[in-house]
Amino acid sequence: MRHGQSFDPELEDQGCVIYPGGHEPVSSALLFRPYAFLEIGDEVVDARGDAWRFEHPWSWYSFSGLTGTPTWPLTLLARGGQPAEAKTVVAETVSGSHEAVEARWRSLTGAEPCVP
C-alpha cells in the first residue's frame, strides 16, 4: 500500500505490485513493526488478569469474551502452546498501550489499520 492508503478487504485490486526483476529502482526499509516482541498465536495475560491471544497487531482474542484490547503491561503465558519466557514482553509493555502502538503506526503510514 502507498503512504496514506488504508487496506480495504472488500477491494480486490489495491496497492501496488513490485517486480523485483524489473528495471525500476526499488528500495524499502522497515520503519516500524507493531508488536515485534510477539508472535501470532502468543497467549498473554494483561494487567487486569484477563487472558488474550495475539491474532495480529490489530486483532486480539479474549478468552473470556471481552471486546477491545488488553491493558498493559502484558505477561506472556504461552508461545506455540508451550509455556514461554515472559521477560521481553513485560519489558516492552511496562509503559505505553495498544492505543499508543496504533497511533505510532498511523503517524508513520498515514492510514488506518484494517480491523477484522
Side-chain angles (χ1 to χ4, degrees):
M1 303 300 297
R2 294 181 185 275
H3 186 271
Q5 280 186 310
S6 297
F7 178 75
D8 183 346
E10 300 295 317
L11 297 177
E12 194 170 308
D13 294 324
Q14 58 186 325
C16 59
V17 177
I18 297 173
Y19 296 102
H23 298 290
E24 304 83 11
V26 176
S27 65
S28 64
L30 179 62
L31 299 177
F32 175 61
R33 179 179 165 214
Y35 293 101
F37 49 89
L38 290 176
E39 295 178 12
I40 301 302
D42 279 355
E43 296 173 6
V44 301
V45 65
D46 72 3
R48 294 179 305 222
D50 296 314
W52 299 81
R53 183 175 53 239
F54 178 70
E55 301 287 331
H56 67 74
W58 317 130
S59 180
W60 292 88
Y61 170 79
S62 166
F63 289 100
S64 57
L66 298 172
T67 58
T69 57
T71 302
W72 288 21
L74 306 176
T75 302
L76 184 62
L77 295 175
R79 175 166 284 160
Q82 301 296 316
E85 175 56 49
K87 290 180 186 175
T88 301
V89 174
V90 171
E92 291 288 336
T93 61
V94 75
S95 64
S97 66
H98 171 79
E99 292 77 18
V101 171
E102 200 171 273
R104 180 161 180 227
W105 185 86
R106 279 187 178 104
S107 72
L108 289 168
T109 64
E112 291 297 313
C114 175
V115 181

